[in-house]
């Protein structure tokens, strides 16, 4: 079934093999007709993760980068739409030299071309490939066929790992293997045999179930790896290694068995589990609810970046996800923000809940609660400051109110024609761009007094240069700017004015890593600790 942690499993396997000294890269296959993840609704699909080269991808690519501590290129991500788009382009250009182009084998061949190119680009010993969705879904057939073709051509160079959930029905109280047996047979029906089965369950799987799975799924009992629920996803590589995952895969792939050195990873896991200081941080947004359930996957990179920084500060963070629309219905609820040591507003789009976010930002500013705004969170921070401090009461963002008399946030010039033509897919300002840091600022101190940094972006709107002088005179500092000074990248209040009131036009969460937290997240949580 979906949502059982295939992305974490793929990331963990990648980390284990890297810890053995192998050069590893990771690819994700999404069975969507969408050409990329940028046009998908976050409440349905989760976070859009932006790669360094600007490609908009599934959130699992973020997991790969975090676990591997590697920067991955766009060739490592594919969707059904992207694969078909390339095949159709080649057909239109007569690159198939007039032959019939068919779903099989031409679509799987294009899948394999992309996998091979990703491997070559990384010069990798091992490429981890995650196929999204679940076994038996119609839309996955072409990718499973590609896997079958690859395994058939290189039988000693391909390992198949199946992630399967073992339920424990409350009324029965016994772990059930039958769903896994059926999943294995469904996999067999497309010509694939699992070499390893990752047994996901709420508790560790016992030897009896391992042996039962081995009999019915045609694998060695030692190749059934226990994957119980854990306190932190970062414990998964350590947990898999207890069952010998690394050596098992080396056996299947014919790789030399080398020592696994996960000591630095183990040190981080200890930090994240044993932080002695407690912090309460509110994430104020509007994409949390999916029916009756809270969908935190929308902001997964932000959440993980907070965890990384907290671990290195010997802290544990209790996160609360607050729906900004509630503040629009009842302003008195803003008082609940006083219970938090820090407030963060992540990225987003659209008008829903905006006035509630602006009210929360004002509350954080006036009550000296450390505030961190990301992308939209910075833009609305500028709107709030313009309205309530800089004397521009009708200030707004043109994204929400195109006819606003004082749009302190307006559309980037390069984006205007794209919006008129409804050219939305993959056309935002995307990927890594340089940012110049001004001396004597909170941002520059956080980065370690460097003059320039590179950060990843995803936006169409920016601070209106016509408003910069008035905002600056009112006390708002633009401490980070593009090299040509045309784009305001970081806005902040002086440390003498506020303990931490800072927003970024870019998305720093995309560069946070378990072993090297992002400096701005560290500065934000340090301010929250100081406040506490």
């Amino acid at each position: 079934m979906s949502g059982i942690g295939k992305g974490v499993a793929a990331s963990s396997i990648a980390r284990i093999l890297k810890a053995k000294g192998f050069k590893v890269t990771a690819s994700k296959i999404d069975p969507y007709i969408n050409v990329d993840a940028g046009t998908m609704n976050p409440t349905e699909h989760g976070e859009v993760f932006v790669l360094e080269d600007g490609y908009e991808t599934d959130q699992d690519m973020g997991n790969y980068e975090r676990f591997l501590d590697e920067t991955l290129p766009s060739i490592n991500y594919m969707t059904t739409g992207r694969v078909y788009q390339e095949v159709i382009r080649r057909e239109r250009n007569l690159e198939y030299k007039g032959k019939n182009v068919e779903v099989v084998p031409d679509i799987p061949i294009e899948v394999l071309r992309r996998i091979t190119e990703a491997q070559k680009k990384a010069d990798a010993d091992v490429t981890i490939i995650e196929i999204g969705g679940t076994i038996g879904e119609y839309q996955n057939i072409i990718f499973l066929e590609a896997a079958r073709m690859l395994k058939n051509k290189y039988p000693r160079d391909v390992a198949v790992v199946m992630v399967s959930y073992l339920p424990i029905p409350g009324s029965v109280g016994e772990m059930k293997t039958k769903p896994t047996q059926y999943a294995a047979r469904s996999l067999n029906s497309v010509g694939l045999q699992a070499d390893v089965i990752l047994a996901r369950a709420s508790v560790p799987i016992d030897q009896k179930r391992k042996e039962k799975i081995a009999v019915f799924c045609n694998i060695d009992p030692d190749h059934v790896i226990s994957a119980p629920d854990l306190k932190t996803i970062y414990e998964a590589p350590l947990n898999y290694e207890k069952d010998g995952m690394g050596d098992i895969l080396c056996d299947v792939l014919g790789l030399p068995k080398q020592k696994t050195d996960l000591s630095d990873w183990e040190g981080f896991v200890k930090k994240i589990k044993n932080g002695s200081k407690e912090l309460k941080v509110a994430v104020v947004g509007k994409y949390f609810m999916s029916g009756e359930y809270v969908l935190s996957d929308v902001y997964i990179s932000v959440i993980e970046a907070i965890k990384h920084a907290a671990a290195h500060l010997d802290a544990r963070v209790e996160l609360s996800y607050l729906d900004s629309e509630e503040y629009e219905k009842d302003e008195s609820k803003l008082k609940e923000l006083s219970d938090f040591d820090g407030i963060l507003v992540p990225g987003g789009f659209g008008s829903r809940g905006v006035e509630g976010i602006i009210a929360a930002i004002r509350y954080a500013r006036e009550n000296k609660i450390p505030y961190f705004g990301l992308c939209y969170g910075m833009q609305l921070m500028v709107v709030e400051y313009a309205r309530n401090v800089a004397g521009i009461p009708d200030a707004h963002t043109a994204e929400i109110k195109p006819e606003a008399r004082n749009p302190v946030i307006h559309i980037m010039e390069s984006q205007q024609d794209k919006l008129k033509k409804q050219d939305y897919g993959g056309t935002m300002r995307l990927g890594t761009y340089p940012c110049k840091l001004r001396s004597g600022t909170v941002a520059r101190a956080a980065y370690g007094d460097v003059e320039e940094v590179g950060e990843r972006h995803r936006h169409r709107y920016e601070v209106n240069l016509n408003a910069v002088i008035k905002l600056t005179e009112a006390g708002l500092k633009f401490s980070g700017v593009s090299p040509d000074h045309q784009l305001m990248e970081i806005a902040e209040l002086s440390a003498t004015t506020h303990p931490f009131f800072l927003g970024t036009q870019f998305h720093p969460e995309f560069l946070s890593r378990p072993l090297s937290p992002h400096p701005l997240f560290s500065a934000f949580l340090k301010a929250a600790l100081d406040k506490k």
Side-chain angles (χ1 to χ4, degrees):
M1 67 182 198
S2 62
I4 58 172
K6 293 187 304 297
V8 171
S11 303
S12 299
I13 291 168
R15 185 74 208 187
I16 289 168
L17 292 174
K18 181 176 181 176
K20 281 185 170 293
F22 298 112
K23 174 67 176 170
V24 184
T25 193
S27 295
K28 173 69 187 284
I29 295 172
D30 261 336
Y32 303 111
I33 296 296
N34 305 64
V35 172
D36 57 46
T39 56
M40 298 184 199
N41 187 326
T43 57
E44 291 183 20
H45 184 257
E47 175 190 80
V48 174
F49 187 83
V50 179
L51 301 179
E52 183 177 66
D53 59 16
Y55 200 46
E56 295 170 292
T57 72
D58 177 81
Q59 62 190 5
D60 283 325
M61 293 296 290
N63 272 328
Y64 303 161
E65 286 203 347
R66 287 188 283 271
F67 275 69
L68 275 172
D69 197 10
E70 304 273 353
T71 298
L72 300 176
S74 57
I75 192 64
N76 288 49
Y77 180 72
M78 72 181 95
T79 64
T80 300
R82 175 49 60 95
V83 172
Y84 270 87
Q85 185 185 57
E86 176 60 19
V87 170
I88 291 168
R89 184 199 66 78
R90 293 182 63 204
E91 183 274 327
R92 294 286 82 190
N93 291 348
L94 289 179
E95 292 179 35
Y96 289 100
K97 304 189 185 304
K99 82 175 187 70
N100 289 346
V101 181
E102 302 185 64
V103 172
V104 177
D106 294 301
I107 298 299
I109 286 172
E110 170 59 19
V111 172
L112 297 180
R113 184 194 70 80
R114 295 181 69 86
I115 289 170
T116 303
E117 190 176 333
Q119 186 275 328
K120 287 180 179 176
K121 193 162 190 173
D123 191 25
D125 301 311
V126 184
T127 301
I128 308 297
I129 303 136
E130 178 193 348
I131 299 178
T134 61
I135 294 169
E137 287 180 328
Y138 175 79
Q139 55 265 46
N140 281 338
I141 290 173
I142 58 171
F143 302 119
L144 294 172
E145 176 65 6
R148 184 198 65 77
M149 291 165 64
L150 194 64
K151 181 76 169 178
N152 187 54
K153 190 174 182 179
Y154 305 108
R156 286 291 290 149
D157 291 320
V158 178
V160 178
V161 179
M162 185 178 84
V163 184
S164 184
Y165 184 68
L166 284 84
I168 305 174
S171 59
V172 178
E174 178 190 0
M175 185 181 287
K176 292 295 182 179
T177 65
K178 189 64 72 175
T180 297
Q181 295 173 38
Y182 277 109
R185 289 173 190 171
S186 294
L187 195 61
N188 294 158
S189 72
V190 295
L192 289 169
Q193 166 64 45
D195 296 296
V196 176
I197 291 178
L198 264 174
R200 279 288 290 116
S202 57
V203 297
I205 185 172
D206 59 8
Q207 188 62 29
K208 183 177 179 181
R209 267 79 192 171
K210 283 190 176 188
E211 290 170 358
K212 192 171 183 181
I213 289 172
V215 169
F216 288 100
C217 300
N218 198 32
I219 68 168
D220 191 297
D222 291 341
H223 287 208
V224 180
I225 305 294
S226 182
D229 291 346
L230 302 165
K231 279 185 70 175
T232 168
I233 59 171
Y234 300 110
E235 203 174 351
L238 306 177
N239 191 66
Y240 296 172
E241 266 301 86
K242 289 178 187 175
D243 276 7
M245 171 68 94
D247 284 348
I248 289 168
L249 289 175
C250 285
D251 270 342
V252 175
L253 295 171
L255 294 169
K257 287 185 181 179
Q258 299 168 174
K259 184 183 176 186
T260 308
D261 183 6
L262 285 165
S263 54
D264 55 351
W265 198 260
E266 193 170 355
F268 168 72
V269 170
K270 285 180 180 175
K271 286 179 182 178
I272 207 168
K273 290 172 70 175
N274 300 318
S276 63
K277 306 163 191 170
E278 293 187 358
L279 281 174
K280 292 179 68 177
V281 172
V283 181
V284 180
K286 56 183 178 177
Y287 295 127
F288 292 129
M289 302 312 295
S290 178
E292 296 296 318
Y293 297 92
V294 174
L295 187 71
S296 59
D297 273 5
V298 173
Y299 304 117
I300 192 70
S301 290
V302 174
I303 293 165
E304 296 309 311
I306 290 171
K307 292 177 184 176
H308 303 160
H312 290 271
L313 290 169
D314 187 30
R316 286 180 291 113
V317 177
E318 179 188 332
L319 289 170
S320 295
Y321 309 109
L322 307 181
D323 188 341
S324 60
E325 287 186 286
E326 294 300 312
Y327 301 140
E328 295 179 351
K329 297 172 187 174
D330 184 358
E331 281 190 18
S332 68
K333 288 187 177 180
L334 286 166
K335 292 178 182 177
E336 70 180 350
L337 295 173
S338 294
D339 296 334
F340 295 94
D341 306 306
I343 297 168
L344 184 146
V345 171
F349 301 93
S351 60
R352 183 165 60 84
V354 160
E355 291 302 326
I357 293 174
I358 292 171
I361 295 170
R362 180 176 186 176
Y363 193 91
R365 179 179 57 78
E366 292 180 343
N367 290 277
K368 301 290 193 289
I369 303 170
Y371 171 80
F372 194 13
L374 310 177
C375 195
Y376 207 33
M378 169 187 156
Q379 293 176 0
L380 296 181
M381 162 185 161
V382 171
V383 171
E384 187 281 322
Y385 201 84
R387 286 182 185 179
N388 301 310
V389 182
I392 314 174
D394 56 351
H396 219 309
T397 165
E399 179 180 357
I400 307 304
K401 194 175 181 182
E403 73 283 3
R405 286 181 55 216
N406 287 296
V408 293
I409 306 295
H410 68 169
I411 184 103
M412 301 178 71
E413 190 175 341
S414 61
Q415 293 290 321
Q416 290 176 6
D417 285 344
K418 292 171 183 174
L419 286 190
K420 285 178 184 176
K421 295 174 183 176
Q422 294 187 314
D423 183 12
Y424 298 125
T427 61
M428 282 188 268
R429 185 172 185 259
L430 296 164
T432 298
Y433 290 90
C435 169
K436 293 276 189 183
L437 300 173
R438 289 179 169 150
S439 60
T441 60
V442 173
R444 180 132 171 192
Y447 277 105
D449 204 26
V450 297
E451 293 183 4
E452 184 176 298
V453 294
E455 294 281 359
R456 297 185 193 179
H457 296 67
R458 185 177 185 247
H459 64 110
R460 296 188 195 276
Y461 292 81
E462 63 177 344
V463 176
N464 189 338
L465 290 177
N466 294 330
V468 167
I469 292 176
K470 194 162 187 179
L471 288 165
T472 302
E473 289 174 347
L476 191 65
K477 291 184 179 181
F478 292 100
S479 53
V481 296
S482 58
D484 61 4
H485 294 265
Q486 295 302 298
L487 177 66
M488 303 296 106
E489 293 273 20
I490 307 175
E492 65 174 63
L493 287 182
S494 166
T496 58
T497 304
H498 196 284
F500 190 91
F501 193 76
L502 184 146
T504 65
Q505 182 57 76
F506 50 81
H507 289 266
E509 67 270 23
F510 292 152
L511 292 185
S512 183
R513 304 285 184 264
L515 303 182
S516 54
H518 194 284
L520 291 181
F521 278 89
S522 295
F524 168 57
L525 291 190
K526 176 70 165 56
L529 282 169
D530 289 345
K531 172 187 177 294
K532 188 177 182 68

